[in-house]
Each structure stands twice: as C-alpha cells, then as structure tokens.
Amino acid sequence: MMKFRFRRQGADPQREKLKQELFAFHKTVEHGFPNQPSALAFDPELRIMAIGTRSGAVKIYGAPGVEFTGLHRDAATVTQMHFLPGQGRLLTLLDDSSLHLWEVVHHNGCAHLEEALHHQPPSRPGFDGASGLPSLARITVVLLVAAGDLAALGTEGGSVFFLDVPTLTLLEGQTLGPDEVLRSVPDDYRCGKALGPVESLQGHLRDPTKILIGYSRGLLVIWNRAARCADRIFLGNQQLESVCWERSGRTLVSSHSDGSYAVWATDAGDSPTTQPTVATTPYGPFPCKAISKILWRNCASGEHFIVFSGGMPRASYGDRHCVSVLQAETLVTLDFTSRVIDFFTVHSTRPEDEFDEPQALAVLLEEELVVLDLQTPGWPAVPAPYLAPLHSSAITCSAHVANVPAKLWARIVSAGEQQNPQPASGASSWPITGGRNLAQEPTQRGLLLTGHEDGTVRFWDASGVALRPLYKLSTAGLFQTDCEHADSLAQAAEDDWPPFRKVGCFDPYSDDPRLGVQKVALCKYTAQMVVAGTAGQVLVLELSDEPSDQAVGVASVDLLQDREGFTWKGHERLSPRTGPLPWPAGFQPRALVQCLPPAAVTAVTLHAEWGLVAFGTSHGFGLFDYLRRSPVLARCTLHPNDSLAMEGPLSRVKSLKKSLRQSFRRIRKSRVSGKKRLTAASSKEANAQLAEQAGPHDVEVTPVQRRIEPRSADDSLSGVVRCLYFADTFLRDAAHHGPTMWAGTNSGSVFAYALEVPAAAANSDRRPERAVEAVLGKEVQLMHRAPVVAVAVLDGRGRPLPEPYEASRDLAQAPDMQGGHAVLIASEEQFKVFTLPKVSAKTKFKLTAHEGCRVRKVALATFASVACEDYAETCLACLTNLGDVHVFSVPSLRPQVHYACIRKEDISGIASCVFTRHGQGFYLISPSEFERFSLSARNITEPLCSLDISWPRDAMRASYRPQESPKLSQANGTPGVVLGPQSRSGSPDPTRSEGTDTPELPEATLSPTSVDSATSADTTLDTTGDVTVEDVKDFLGSSEESEKNLRNLSEDEARACPILIG
C-alpha cells in the first residue's frame, strides 16, 4: 500500500533561523604533535617557533593558546624555514625548490597566517635574459641577510643566488658561481674534484656584508658581498656537513661526514688556512657517523657550549638518534627514540651583547619536541604545555568528560604534579612565549582521556586551544609482565661510554599487547573510574590524594556460562600480582574483574550511585557490584555458529577459508538480487504511473528508500556487545520506576534488565548484606539485525536522563517521572524511539535507507543558541561511515543539519571520533594529532591570539598582494580552509555574526532546563582500533556506489528530509 504524507510546502523560516542560531560546523584547532615534521625555525625576537611537515603544513606556536596554521598549495615537503626576525613573516623552502613567504596578518584584533607570495626559481641555465649563469638546480640552503630583506640561496650546483625577499625575485648580477670562488683557491686545491653543493651559509652577526659559505668538498669561504671577493679561505679536505660561526666572528666550527668537527681561527695566520686549530672525533677512534649539524654558543664564564647531532660510533651505536651537549669537560649524549629533525638554542641575539648565554635547547624529533633547560644544573627537560606526543604509546580509545568539578580537577592536577617534580605547567621555564592569547579563561573544564596500547590512560586539559597533559595512569603495575626484567638487562648492557641519557617520552613499543586499554569511563562526581583492556580485564579505580599499599580483590566472570562447543583459541588472561602493592597518589585500583574467555572488552559503563559496573565482550555481558566485590549477572550472547568470536583479536589462526567463503556468498547474493531488480523494474514503473494518476498534486510521496537486506543470524561476531547503559525508568509497569540496565549487540538484540539495588547505609560506601539482583525485563530484536550502537532513555518531557548524582545533588534538573518514558535505540541503519514500558514503536528514522550510509558514532549533545542565552536544545549527533555528521532533534528524530566532516577513506579517523556533551568533537587525523570540530554555533574552541610585530618599512606592507588562498586539504586531506585559525572549513557560514571573533560563552552558562545525556560519555567511548569488517567494506565499496551515494546526498541537501512515522 502506497504511503502518503501531507507536509507544508516549503521550509519553516522561523525554524531555519533557529537552526542557524543553534548549529554551525567549524574545524577549529589541531591538538597534539604535527605528523611527520620536516623543518624547524625560531624567531628569537618574537619568541615563536615554526614547524613544517612533509605534507606541506606550516604551524607556528608561541605561548600556550597562541597557534597559527597554514598549508602550502602543493603537498610538498617543507625542507627549510626561516623567520624574518621580529616581523611575523616566515620564508619556507619546499623540496621542489619553491619559496613561499608567509605573514601573520591581524584582522579585527586577532591574527591569522596567510601566504603572501611564492616563487618557483628557474631550473635552466640563465634566467631573465641573463646568460652564462650556472643552473639554479635544487636549492640546498637558505640564509636571510640584511634584516631579512635579502636571502642567499645555495644550490646543488655550488652557486649562490641572491633573492629580494619583499618581492621574492632573483637579483641579477649578484650571483656567485663556484668558478669565481675557485679563482681565490690555490692551484693544487683547485685541481681534482669539484667543490660540490653548497652545504651551509652563515651570516655575521655584526657585519651583514660577510657571508660564510661551506661547500660539500670541505672548502670554507668568508665572502665579502660589498667587495665581491673572498676575505678568508679555509681549505678543508673532509666532506662538510655543517658550519657554525661563533658570535664574535673570530672562530668557526665545522662538522664532517666522518664524525669529526674542526675549529678554525679567522684572525690568525695567512689566508688560505690549511689546518684547523682543533680537530677532534668526539666518539672515535672507530669509524663514526656524520655530525649533521653543529652549534657553538659562548658564555661569559668561558665554558662555551658545543651542541651537535649524530657522530655516534657506526658499528656499536649507529642506530641511535642522539644530540650531544658539550660544555668544558661535561658531555651528555641525549638519546632519543625517534629521528632528530633539527634543533636550536634559545640565546641572546642582540648585537650589543658579547655572549650568547644559551638558556634552553629545543630538539625537534620525528615524534616529539624536547626542550632542555641549559641554565639549571643537570640540564633537565622542561615539561611542554602543548605539543605533547599523544601517541607516546599508540592510542586505542578516547573519551571526553565535560564540566569537570573544580575539586576533582585540582586533585587530578595535584596527582600529575607529584608524578613530575617540575611544575606541570612549565610556564616559568618554557622558552617559547611569544604572542598573546586573547581567549578568555574557560569557566568550565573539559577532560580528554586517551587509552593506550601500553596500558596507560592519559588525562589531557581540553578546555582550550592548548592540549595540556595533566596526569598519567598506568595499569601495567597490577599485572605480571616481563618489562622489568627486560629493562634491567638493558641497563646492565649499557656502558659508561658514550654517556647516554634517555630523553623524551615517545615509546611506541608495548611489552604486552594484552595491556592495551579498550574502554574507559569516569564518574566526575565520585572520582571513580573504570578501565577495561584487551585481555578481558576490567579495573575499577578510585582517586586518592595519598600513596598507599593495598591488595586488589580479583573476581572472575564466565560469560560463556558453561556453554558447550566453544573453545577459546586466543590469548591467555593477564596474571595479577598478589599481596599488597604500592600505589602512588592518583587513581588506585579497588577491584579487578576478569572476563572469561579473556576477549577484548567492547563496551563498559559505570553507575557510581548504585556501585555497579557493566561490561561486555564478543561473548556476552556481565554486571559487577564493586561495593560487595561480587558478580551480579553474566549473559552469553553467542550464536551457535559464531566461531570467529572464539579466536580473539590477537589470534594468528584467523580463518582464511571463512573469509573467502563469505566473499563468494556476497558476490552470489549481489548477482541474485541484481536479477530480481531487473525483473521487478517494469512493475515498479507501472506502480509509479498509477501513483501519479491516483495521488493528489499537493500530497508528497515518501521518497524511494534503498533496499536493505536483513543480516543473517549466523554472521560472524554477531554476539559482540556494542553498548551498555544504566537508567532509572519504567520497565515492569507504568506505575513503578527503578534501576535498569540495557545491553545492545552486534546482531540487533537489546536486552533490558530490571535491577534491585538495596540502598547503602548513610555516609558509608559499603553495600548492605543483601545483594543486587537482575531480572530480564524486555528483549527487543531489530528487524534487520543491524548492530545496536547506542541506547538512551528519555523522560516524560523527551529529555535524556541526567548522569548519576546530577539530580540527587541538584546539579541538574530532575527528570520528569510522571509522563511516559521512551527509549531511543540507535542502530547502524536507523534510529527508533519506543514507548516504555510497553516497548512499542513510536518514531523512527531510517538513515541507511535514505542516505545510503551506516551509523558509526552517536551522542546526545546540548546545543545552545547564540541569540538567546537561555535557549538550548538537546539533539542526537551522528557520524556515518561516509564521514558525514548528522544532527537530529530528540525525541521527534527530525533531521536538522548535516555536514561533511571526515574523508570516507579515513577509516581510523571515523573510528576514533568522540563527541562532547556540548556539540564539539575530536577525531584523529594522524597517529599524533586530534582534529577538533564544533557543530554548535555558540560553543567554539578556537585560537584567538595576536603578535606584536614590527615592519621595517610602511611601504613594504602595501607592496604585498596576498593571494586568496583556495579551500585546500588539511595535512591529512580533510577538506577545509587552511589560512589560519579564523579560516573555516567548508563554505562561508552566514550564521556567524560579527561577534565571532570574541571568545565563546562558557559551557556553564547553558540553559539549566536542558538536561544532558547520561550516556553521552558511554556511547562515544569506542576504540580507535575498532576497525570492523563493515568499515573495510565501506572503504572497498565500488566507485559506482560511492558516486550514487554522493548524488543522493546532494539531492537530500536540496530537499527537506522527510520524517517517517510508523
């Protein structure tokens, strides 16, 4: 029977205006460490630092909260970067030898980064009509001279060209070729091999007319630009790697490919100089690797610093990544776990100062940034207030906790400070302090929790632009592993020479993959936490301000319930340590629940008010009373044919035959369904004609829905528990409400249990003798057996229930327990609202049928209006497998807006997405970076900052013609505008008012009448590594289907989405 639905023609203008006041999509800031860094620069006057990457991204950092981001049009590697001191301008060199000039531009009081000019030098002999000039070939080194107005470009052919920086044009008649240099060289040195590429260019601090040129062959020349002659020549014979000119200009130091460095005196003896005053191989006498860069910094005490990278003995330590710091007789070999990209010292650069007096050493590595305090004895590392390596161990899951109480925040910060002797903020000694952060201090605090492969959970301050590390929780100490034995052996094998010192926190290797954290949940009101891992371990922890020694109670829960025919083929369970164990201040374990079989935990939820924790794996789910230390419930969800669930994620016996069999089944099924569609085409056309004749013209027909085939009940991994949820609602009858637990599985089943939770004694955390009881109240089976992603109960006003303790402590409006409750069940294919306690369908929206996509993440979020401070709506935010974000009203499930957020090919980015309770979200754009985005027009976290820059000439600013930067891809290919923090992703949004440059209003001022979802944290705690078979299917889908989906999405954008009631 054809369904008809009447709808008012056209959109409601009032509602459309309200949408603009509630919703707006922006990608705001990238948290973490830049992926694949390739270049480093530092402006000593403005105290800002720039990092370039292999994907062409440019990131400038100053004080915490001061960040600028840009992206070159060509995705080429940034090889060199140079600041024009004090001007807020940056010259970048790419590996295609193109030069780009960036500038920090202020607009409405805030600054952002723009590319002002770019230049591609000619690569053929001669340019601009000139002849006889050597080929510019590839630029190897860049030097800024004359206050940044002029740049010297060293090339692979041995020539030095000069560039006018304000216009980025090459200057004719000033090119210095290798032949001109060779005229000043003795005949015996001139014969033989060529000078080679220009390896180094250095300027004199006090005399800008002099340039030190170092050639690959080893020749060093002090060239006088004004007189166009060589002042001094140093005849080195060892292949040159780097040169540094001492501050006074009287000393040079050169490093070489054989691991040696040499010191040359510029004011002693005749030119040319053939022998250095000092030549040494610091880690000799055996063959050593090249010293790729060397710095000389003098001090008033006479004990100068020599800092160099490389030079390790080739046979013994050739694989080490080291930077050595030498001062007088003190030598420290800084041993890093990733490759050294570049380094610089923070020192005095004023010409009137006689000494450098270095304050800090900053080393950019491939996976982290390390800063050492050179003024403190022992040269300790300075904790970074940002740019911390999120992936120090691979991220496996993440969660966001909003509106953290001030007391809990202070306790977490205190625990973190006790872990690190230095102040956690590092503000006093952090040397990169340029710019001013104009954003207001957030009135509420947000925590980002990341679980890692090594069993740690890291707490990050996600309240503002700078993602600051607060505290690290380690669960490995509770279990017996071989890491301590391996560490002791490694320490014993170390010799006293070279004097290695381990620096940095990047450690990608896990001693035991079973330690990996899969799920985390935190109760912000009781400071209790649940951490679940890869080997079925579920750990209940509580925050303590003092260290303690205590034993941890262990309980086992058999989820198979003695079911026959199933044999676990995966990894063994972790063995817990016995007896009292020392625990530092912070989160300390109270109970350990071991799931059997020890499969990875796929879902977890905590209800601190009831003292219960629920957990699920691929075999079933369980309920544990952690106050009584006793299991309450265990339910097996395995299908009789679900043998793949018994192999485990770490098993090496994955069935190739089974995967091939399933592939052939899909091919066969698609062929059969294709034939059926061909035979049914004629009948569909006839039905369409009849509908046109019979239906009135003012009636809109329900749009054509895609055909969704029901999933087979014997599909592999059908018993995986996808979500768990606690709620105080009506389950048995409409007159009595009470505690309930809901569980959703991969096969579309939802189990609802009524719980009997005895009240705890007053002022006591102990449970009465009577145990918690669980009775199965309802069981729902979705028609198409689509995996259940989330479950949430709505009160009589259609609002989500508050979190535990929120209502009892008057922290949120109490739920309406008078009207009828409803339960929202979100599956991968549709959203459906059922009435309670009858569980009858009330409203639904078939997302897959309409949009051709599947749900991957959902969360209930509160969206506050930018026009009215007291108005807010609670909506359902959804991320699909195509990377789109949809927002639906609750409980009517009417589509509001949808945006393209993540590339559909970025499977790990989609799997890692986390929504917040106030309309923001995070997802990984690389192993080390979170992209932050906002769906709310009001709640936006973005860089708002300025720089105090000085332009040398007023006319120079007008000479620029900034080119309008196109909407390019970000570093990972996600569409977006990349000029700076104020450039937005996607098309310009007319909803942003003139006040968008002001900081966002604090989340604490949201309307108290809108109650946030109690499941917002639980429904988004999916692991980064949860790349399912469905994800891969989406990625490997046919191009024809992808194009069809895109067409459908564009069509849906042009028309109002229908609401299906039934």
Side-chain angles (χ1 to χ4, degrees), residues 852-913:
C853 54
R854 296 187 184 276
V855 178
R856 286 291 175 257
K857 305 280 177 167
V858 295
L860 287 161
T862 300
F863 294 87
S865 170
V866 293
C868 179
E869 185 175 346
D870 295 330
Y871 183 80
E873 290 185 8
T874 297
C875 298
L876 180 70
C878 153
L879 175 69
T880 71
N881 63 323
L882 301 180
D884 297 332
V885 176
H886 298 252
V887 179
F888 298 87
S889 62
V890 174
S892 60
L893 297 182
R894 298 181 186 274
Q896 301 300 303
V897 290
H898 72 272
Y899 309 102
C901 181
I902 310 175
R903 292 179 300 113
K904 65 179 180 180
E905 298 86 2
D906 188 2
I907 299 176
S908 61
I910 294 173
S912 65
C913 182

Side-chain angles (χ1 to χ4, degrees), residues 897-968:
V897 290
H898 72 272
Y899 309 102
C901 181
I902 310 175
R903 292 179 300 113
K904 65 179 180 180
E905 298 86 2
D906 188 2
I907 299 176
S908 61
I910 294 173
S912 65
C913 182
V914 172
F915 289 108
T916 75
R917 290 178 51 179
H918 298 284
Q920 296 193 38
F922 303 83
Y923 69 92
L924 287 173
I925 56 175
S926 72
S928 60
E929 288 176 292
F930 272 112
E931 175 79 65
R932 188 173 191 145
F933 63 91
S934 175
L935 304 173
S936 171
R938 176 174 168 182
N939 183 26
I940 302 173
T941 302
E942 63 181 348
L944 296 173
C945 48
S946 66
L947 275 180
D948 296 326
I949 56 180
S950 59
W951 297 86
R953 292 196 304 268
D954 294 337
M956 184 183 301
R957 185 73 175 91
S959 68
Y960 281 139
R961 297 184 179 271
Q963 304 170 6
E964 184 178 352
S965 181
K967 291 177 174 56
L968 297 172

Side-chain angles (χ1 to χ4, degrees), residues 195-347:
L195 295 180
V198 178
E199 291 290 344
S200 182
L201 291 173
Q202 298 289 325
H204 196 288
L205 185 63
R206 295 183 173 88
D207 189 353
T209 62
K210 294 183 179 181
I211 296 178
L212 172 62
I213 307 172
Y215 294 91
S216 177
R217 180 178 171 182
L219 177 68
L220 301 178
V221 177
I222 298 179
W223 185 261
N224 191 320
R225 281 193 309 113
R228 291 195 63 82
C229 66
D231 282 358
R232 292 195 66 85
I233 294 178
F234 307 90
L235 304 178
N237 290 308
Q238 186 61 42
Q239 181 177 336
L240 184 71
E241 294 288 333
S242 173
V243 177
C244 181
W245 206 338
E246 187 260 340
R247 185 183 189 90
S248 65
R250 294 190 294 268
T251 305
L252 307 177
V253 58
S254 61
S255 66
H256 303 276
S257 61
D258 62 348
S260 65
Y261 69 84
V263 179
W264 307 79
T266 62
D267 55 356
D270 299 328
S271 181
T273 303
T274 58
Q275 293 295 328
T277 56
V278 176
T280 181
T281 304
Y283 296 107
F286 299 106
C288 297
K289 299 193 73 174
I291 295 179
S292 56
K293 180 177 180 178
I294 191 166
L295 296 178
W296 177 298
R297 299 289 180 252
N298 58 14
C299 302
S301 63
E303 297 180 344
H304 53 261
F305 280 89
I306 297 180
V307 185
F308 59 89
S309 59
M312 287 292 102
R314 188 176 296 273
S316 304
Y317 304 106
D319 58 343
R320 297 288 185 99
H321 310 289
C322 297
V323 171
S324 301
V325 182
L326 174 64
Q327 185 186 28
E329 301 298 323
T330 304
L331 173 65
V332 173
T333 308
L334 305 174
D335 188 10
F336 303 102
T337 54
S338 57
R339 186 169 59 92
V340 178
I341 304 297
D342 201 355
F343 58 92
F344 64 84
T345 59
V346 179
H347 61 277

Side-chain angles (χ1 to χ4, degrees), residues 742-1057:
W742 301 72
T745 71
N746 227 28
S747 59
S749 299
V750 178
F751 303 93
Y753 283 83
L755 306 178
E756 290 289 341
V757 182
N763 301 324
S764 172
D765 60 351
R766 296 182 59 84
R767 179 85 70 200
E769 292 301 322
R770 192 159 61 93
V772 177
E773 297 179 1
V775 179
L776 180 61
K778 305 288 182 182
E779 185 172 344
V780 181
Q781 177 62 59
L782 300 182
M783 183 183 300
H784 291 294
R785 299 183 178 274
V788 179
V789 180
V791 176
V793 171
L794 309 175
D795 68 3
R797 292 186 292 264
R799 295 170 179 157
L801 299 182
E803 288 188 6
Y805 285 110
E806 277 191 335
S808 62
R809 298 184 179 182
D810 295 329
L811 300 170
Q813 186 179 16
D816 182 4
M817 309 303 286
Q818 303 300 323
H821 282 200
V823 58
L824 169 63
I825 298 178
S827 73
E828 284 192 358
E829 297 178 0
Q830 69 178 4
F831 309 121
K832 204 163 187 177
V833 175
F834 296 88
T835 61
L836 288 177
K838 292 183 178 181
V839 193
S840 58
K842 181 180 179 182
T843 310
K844 65 181 176 182
F845 184 85
K846 298 181 179 179
L847 186 70
T848 301
H850 288 96
E851 308 292 343
C853 54
R854 296 187 184 276
V855 178
R856 286 291 175 257
K857 305 280 177 167
V858 295
L860 287 161
T862 300
F863 294 87
S865 170
V866 293
C868 179
E869 185 175 346
D870 295 330
Y871 183 80
E873 290 185 8
T874 297
C875 298
L876 180 70
C878 153
L879 175 69
T880 71
N881 63 323
L882 301 180
D884 297 332
V885 176
H886 298 252
V887 179
F888 298 87
S889 62
V890 174
S892 60
L893 297 182
R894 298 181 186 274
Q896 301 300 303
V897 290
H898 72 272
Y899 309 102
C901 181
I902 310 175
R903 292 179 300 113
K904 65 179 180 180
E905 298 86 2
D906 188 2
I907 299 176
S908 61
I910 294 173
S912 65
C913 182
V914 172
F915 289 108
T916 75
R917 290 178 51 179
H918 298 284
Q920 296 193 38
F922 303 83
Y923 69 92
L924 287 173
I925 56 175
S926 72
S928 60
E929 288 176 292
F930 272 112
E931 175 79 65
R932 188 173 191 145
F933 63 91
S934 175
L935 304 173
S936 171
R938 176 174 168 182
N939 183 26
I940 302 173
T941 302
E942 63 181 348
L944 296 173
C945 48
S946 66
L947 275 180
D948 296 326
I949 56 180
S950 59
W951 297 86
R953 292 196 304 268
D954 294 337
M956 184 183 301
R957 185 73 175 91
S959 68
Y960 281 139
R961 297 184 179 271
Q963 304 170 6
E964 184 178 352
S965 181
K967 291 177 174 56
L968 297 172
S969 298
Q970 295 186 9
N972 71 324
T974 307
V977 181
V978 292
L979 289 181
Q982 293 190 316
S983 298
R984 298 302 188 189
S985 304
S987 58
D989 191 346
T991 65
R992 294 305 298 273
S993 62
E994 294 180 357
T996 53
D997 289 334
T998 60
E1000 77 273 10
L1001 294 174
E1003 293 179 343
T1005 62
L1006 299 181
S1007 170
T1009 60
S1010 296
V1011 181
D1012 293 310
S1013 165
T1015 61
S1016 59
D1018 301 331
T1019 56
T1020 57
L1021 290 176
D1022 289 1
T1023 64
T1024 303
D1026 280 349
V1027 180
T1028 64
V1029 177
E1030 296 297 331
D1031 295 326
V1032 181
K1033 289 179 187 175
D1034 299 331
F1035 179 65
L1036 298 177
S1038 65
S1039 59
E1040 181 181 351
E1041 182 181 356
S1042 302
E1043 293 295 330
K1044 185 178 179 182
N1045 289 336
L1046 291 174
R1047 286 198 301 271
N1048 291 328
L1049 288 172
S1050 61
E1051 291 172 3
D1052 292 342
E1053 231 173 10
R1055 69 168 186 263
C1057 294

Side-chain angles (χ1 to χ4, degrees), residues 290-596:
I291 295 179
S292 56
K293 180 177 180 178
I294 191 166
L295 296 178
W296 177 298
R297 299 289 180 252
N298 58 14
C299 302
S301 63
E303 297 180 344
H304 53 261
F305 280 89
I306 297 180
V307 185
F308 59 89
S309 59
M312 287 292 102
R314 188 176 296 273
S316 304
Y317 304 106
D319 58 343
R320 297 288 185 99
H321 310 289
C322 297
V323 171
S324 301
V325 182
L326 174 64
Q327 185 186 28
E329 301 298 323
T330 304
L331 173 65
V332 173
T333 308
L334 305 174
D335 188 10
F336 303 102
T337 54
S338 57
R339 186 169 59 92
V340 178
I341 304 297
D342 201 355
F343 58 92
F344 64 84
T345 59
V346 179
H347 61 277
S348 172
T349 56
R350 293 178 299 181
E352 60 269 18
D353 291 342
E354 187 178 353
F355 301 101
D356 293 311
E357 297 294 346
Q359 305 163 16
L361 169 66
V363 183
L364 176 66
L365 307 163
E366 198 166 34
E367 306 293 351
E368 61 183 322
L369 176 75
V370 175
V371 176
L372 300 182
D373 184 358
L374 297 181
Q375 293 183 324
T376 303
W379 304 332
V382 179
Y386 52 84
L387 280 179
L390 301 174
H391 63 317
S392 53
S393 176
I395 297 177
T396 51
C397 69
S398 52
H400 184 270
V401 183
N403 297 328
V404 179
K407 184 177 180 181
L408 173 62
W409 187 271
R411 295 177 66 191
I412 292 175
V413 171
S414 174
E417 290 175 349
Q418 293 183 50
Q419 288 180 334
N420 302 306
Q422 301 93 349
S425 63
S428 58
S429 53
W430 182 251
I432 304 161
T433 57
R436 287 178 293 132
N437 182 14
L438 303 180
Q440 292 182 353
E441 185 71 18
T443 56
Q444 69 85 28
R445 299 292 183 178
L447 271 179
L448 182 66
L449 310 180
T450 55
H452 298 264
E453 192 180 37
D454 60 355
T456 60
V457 178
R458 286 172 167 82
F459 291 63
W460 307 89
D461 178 4
S463 310
V465 172
L467 193 68
R468 182 167 64 100
L470 297 178
Y471 167 72
K472 183 178 77 171
L473 163 68
S474 178
T475 62
L478 182 60
F479 304 100
Q480 296 179 5
T481 59
D482 297 331
C483 58
E484 296 89 353
H485 181 62
D487 289 344
S488 62
L489 289 178
Q491 293 293 335
E494 292 284 358
D495 295 328
D496 293 337
W497 182 262
F500 287 117
R501 173 181 158 193
K502 288 284 185 182
V503 182
C505 61
F506 177 72
D507 184 12
Y509 306 107
S510 174
D511 297 296
D512 195 330
R514 297 175 296 174
L515 292 170
V517 176
Q518 295 296 322
K519 299 290 173 183
V520 291
L522 172 67
C523 176
K524 59 188 178 185
Y525 301 114
T526 60
Q528 293 176 342
M529 186 177 183
V530 175
V531 177
T534 305
Q537 69 271 25
V538 179
L539 199 56
V540 181
L541 306 103
E542 189 172 1
L543 184 60
S544 174
D545 299 327
E546 299 294 334
S548 65
D549 293 283
Q550 61 181 357
V552 179
V554 181
S556 298
V557 177
D558 184 9
L559 297 179
L560 289 182
Q561 297 292 290
D562 300 326
R563 185 174 294 193
E564 297 180 358
F566 291 94
T567 304
W568 174 248
K569 303 174 184 177
H571 49 262
E572 295 294 326
R573 57 187 282 184
L574 285 166
S575 300
R577 298 178 184 274
T578 58
L581 300 174
W583 300 106
F587 282 92
Q588 299 173 355
R590 295 291 182 259
L592 171 64
V593 185
Q594 179 63 57
C595 300
L596 297 176

